[in-house]
Amino acid sequence: MSEPTPISSPELDEHLGVDGVNRELKHRSARGGLLMVASYAVQLLIGIGTFYILARVLTPSDFGYLAMVATVANLVVSFREFLIAPTVQMKDLSHEQASSLFWVNCVVSVALAILIAAIAPFLVWLFKEPRLLNIGLVLALGVLLHMLGMMHMGVLRRQMQFGVITFIEVGAMIAGSITGIGMALRGAGYWALVMQQVVVWTWQSAASWWLCAWRPSRASVSAIRDPAVRSMLRYGQDSTTSRIIIYISRNTDNMFVGYFLGASVLGLYQKAYQWAMMPFWQIFLPMTPVAVSSFSRIQDDPARYRQYAHITLLGMFSLALPAIALLMVESDNTILFLMGKQWIDAIPMLRMQSIGAYFSSFTLVTMWLYLPEGRTWQQLKWSIFSAPVTMIAVGIGVKWGAVGVSTGFAIASFLLVPIGVWYCLKGSPLTERNFWGAIWRAAAGSILAAIALWALRPVLPILPTPFWRLVFHSGIYGAIYLTLWLLLPGGRKDFGLFWRQTRQLRASADPRP
């Protein structure tokens, strides 16, 4: 991808330059990683508390109505990376080029909002549910408001201003939760969920404008024709197209379940999927902007790149894999605690979805390598190959209901792991030995610990509530996992490395001299 030539006026580029970021990369990466992980931990607690209330006030059907439209709306939201990805990845970015991207985004945002509004009547016909029309129109407005702040979010990520991003995202979560709970308690039904999402999107966009000092200049036809701008748009186009294809393949199951089994079963199924993926998303999502921004800044230094990647992958999978494996075993207590007895049919779905989440995490994390290395075309080709595999698997599984769909997702995720990792690493400074060397101990330890807990459960004391059973079993699982992690070959050495790096990151994140 050709690099744009930056303009000469420094005052126009002060919010876009990355020289200061490069000089403070270790400090900003460490501080940003800690902030984003803390942010998502707070969001997880808020989300659990909010859902704990909403799941007892609303019905699975209420969640199903939103899911039928949100599948399309969230697909459209994937277009936000159309701007964010090139804004973060480019080494040099001028004010005119950034402004051109902003105005292109405005046109795209309006078109996408119109698209959602136009699809809403089709969803009414497909699912035979008239309520979906008004839900679609309201979500279309929410998507428009959300998309208009994406360029500013991209600038914040480019500058690695993760403290500001944390404030934006946590604030949006709080505002949305207050709205959703308040409306649900007043009897608003599914509209509580719809407005909760719209408030989150609106807050994110408005706060991004407020807290990002960069402002676009007027639209210029000549700037939009700049070859560098076109190159950035192609980069964003490939990345976004890849995301959309993967999103469609991973949400085909929602369409199948909603069409064949109805809103109530879809509500159960979608929540099972969300909670199965939650342990992964809670680490992957906050670390993604940090990892992509950091790797983008050091993409020309292979040795340093491999060092950063090893530590990042080690931390990511050492935490995410055991949490997902624990869900496989504790699906029953998790559902009963979080949702209550009216959601009990989601237990087998959550168990199978957790297996799928476990294996899909290996291929999803390859995005950390495709984006900073500028290999979005290769990422797109992988998406085109992998998407039909997932879609066919869940399509076959629907014959056996929602549990069959979950099983299809799990099988497809397992089959795609070896080829997905191999294909990604073909053009990367990382080798398969680098990649699996950082991961295998967490994978082996988490699976063995899950098997041990499953075998122990029949002889463990039966505590009176799902919450205390979940806490007790989690403690046993954690002790087994940590012991296995240390006993496996090289475990103590790797644990010592992880511990030292964590302390160094904490020290690097401390702004005090």
Side-chain angles (χ1 to χ4, degrees):
M1 183 169 62
S2 59
E3 292 291 341
T5 303
I7 57 177
S8 58
S9 178
E11 61 270 18
L12 292 181
D13 285 343
E14 62 178 336
H15 304 300
L16 303 172
V18 293
D19 289 341
V21 173
N22 292 338
R23 286 193 300 269
E24 301 176 356
L25 181 61
K26 185 176 182 180
H27 162 67
R28 294 201 183 203
S29 296
R31 186 169 182 269
L34 293 176
L35 280 171
M36 294 302 286
V37 170
S39 165
Y40 272 73
V42 172
Q43 291 183 62
L44 175 61
L45 293 175
I46 296 172
I48 290 175
T50 302
F51 184 72
Y52 185 88
I53 297 172
L54 293 178
R56 286 158 174 78
V57 178
L58 304 177
T59 67
S61 295
D62 292 326
F63 288 89
Y65 297 140
L66 176 63
M68 288 174 174
V69 183
T71 297
V72 176
N74 288 328
L75 169 63
V76 170
V77 170
S78 298
F79 275 88
R80 63 187 178 186
E81 295 299 324
F82 180 69
L83 284 183
I84 291 179
T87 302
V88 173
Q89 196 269 346
M90 294 303 297
K91 296 179 182 178
D92 300 302
L93 182 64
S94 73
H95 180 78
E96 284 91 344
Q97 291 160 354
S99 297
S100 298
L101 291 176
F102 171 80
W103 291 112
V104 169
N105 175 65
C106 288
V107 175
V108 171
S109 299
V110 173
L112 292 176
I114 294 174
L115 177 63
I116 295 176
I119 290 177
F122 169 76
L123 295 177
V124 171
W125 170 80
L126 179 66
F127 295 112
K128 298 178 176 58
E129 181 50 68
R131 286 171 253 211
L132 303 184
L133 178 62
N134 290 334
I135 294 176
L137 296 176
V138 173
L139 288 181
L141 176 61
V143 167
L144 174 61
L145 296 175
H146 178 63
M147 292 289 291
L148 291 178
M150 285 304 99
M151 186 64 200
H152 294 77
M153 180 61 75
V155 172
L156 291 173
R157 287 193 191 178
R158 178 178 177 82
Q159 291 293 320
M160 300 185 76
Q161 297 291 331
F162 296 114
V164 176
I165 294 172
T166 294
F167 173 82
I168 293 173
E169 293 184 345
V170 173
M173 190 78 172
I174 294 173
S177 295
I178 292 174
T179 301
I181 292 174
M183 292 185 65
L185 293 176
R186 294 178 63 87
Y190 59 86
W191 280 113
L193 302 173
V194 175
M195 294 310 301
Q196 178 186 8
Q197 184 61 73
V198 171
V199 168
V200 168
W201 284 338
T202 304
W203 177 287
Q204 288 174 338
S205 183
S208 297
W209 270 85
W210 174 42
L211 295 172
C212 178
W214 178 81
R215 292 292 180 268
S217 56
R218 292 184 178 180
S220 169
V221 176
S222 60
I224 294 176
R225 291 175 178 172
D226 182 347
V229 173
R230 291 178 177 270
S231 178
M232 286 186 282
L233 291 176
R234 283 195 299 272
Y235 173 88
Q237 171 185 301
D238 292 342
S239 175
T240 301
T241 304
S242 174
R243 284 170 175 266
I244 289 173
I245 292 173
I246 292 296
Y247 181 88
I248 291 174
S249 71
R250 297 176 72 86
N251 282 271
T252 302
D253 51 356
N254 286 336
M255 301 299 291
F256 282 143
V257 173
Y259 180 78
F260 289 105
L261 304 174
S264 182
V265 177
L266 177 57
L268 294 167
Y269 178 86
Q270 192 203 39
K271 286 306 168 185
Y273 174 79
Q274 288 180 352
W275 287 110
M277 293 298 300
M278 184 68 71
F280 175 76
W281 293 134
Q282 287 302 124
I283 302 173
F284 177 76
L285 292 179
M287 289 304 300
T288 292
V290 180
V292 173
S293 297
S294 300
F295 293 170
S296 296
R297 304 284 77 83
I298 58 174
Q299 56 184 295
D300 296 327
D301 187 346
R304 195 180 179 196
Y305 187 97
R306 284 191 289 268
Q307 180 186 18
Y308 269 68
H310 178 81
I311 296 299
T312 304
L313 292 173
L314 178 65
M316 164 76 206
F317 285 100
S318 295
L319 297 173
L321 292 185
I324 300 173
L326 177 63
L327 270 181
M328 299 178 194
V329 182
E330 292 296 316
S331 298
D332 49 356
N333 290 321
T334 300
I335 291 293
L336 291 173
F337 163 62
L338 289 174
M339 307 181 189
K341 292 183 178 180
Q342 67 169 329
W343 295 80
I344 197 170
D345 289 339
I347 292 174
M349 302 178 203
L350 177 59
R351 184 159 286 128
M352 294 308 303
Q353 292 282 9
S354 298
I355 297 174
Y358 189 92
F359 291 110
S360 66
S361 65
F362 297 117
T363 50
L364 286 171
V365 83
T366 57
M367 185 179 72
W368 286 356
L369 306 180
Y370 283 123
L371 292 180
E373 295 170 13
R375 296 187 290 120
T376 52
W377 173 241
Q378 187 177 347
Q379 181 187 24
L380 176 58
K381 288 193 289 185
W382 165 250
S383 303
I384 294 172
F385 169 80
S386 62
V389 176
T390 303
M391 295 170 72
I392 292 171
V394 299
I396 295 173
V398 76
K399 180 179 179 180
W400 293 274
V403 177
V405 174
S406 302
T407 305
F409 167 66
I411 293 173
S413 299
F414 171 74
L415 294 176
L416 289 171
V417 170
I419 190 171
V421 173
W422 168 80
Y423 183 72
C424 172
L425 296 178
K426 280 179 60 178
S428 173
L430 293 183
T431 65
E432 288 200 58
R433 183 176 181 179
N434 297 143
F435 186 89
W436 293 114
I439 292 173
W440 78 269
R441 193 171 293 103
S446 59
I447 291 297
L448 291 174
I451 294 173
L453 178 61
W454 183 267
L456 287 172
R457 280 194 11 147
V459 299
L460 293 175
I462 300 177
L463 299 179
T465 66
F467 172 76
W468 288 114
R469 290 196 293 271
L470 187 59
V471 170
F472 181 51
H473 294 176
S474 298
I476 294 173
Y477 175 86
I480 297 173
Y481 170 71
L482 181 59
T483 301
L484 290 171
W485 210 84
L486 293 172
L487 291 177
L488 288 169
R492 294 183 181 181
K493 180 180 177 181
D494 228 4
F495 182 81
L497 173 64
F498 181 70
W499 180 256
R500 288 193 300 274
Q501 288 294 330
T502 301
R503 293 182 63 183
Q504 291 177 14
L505 288 175
R506 290 177 62 187
S508 299
D510 190 346
R512 295 172 298 181

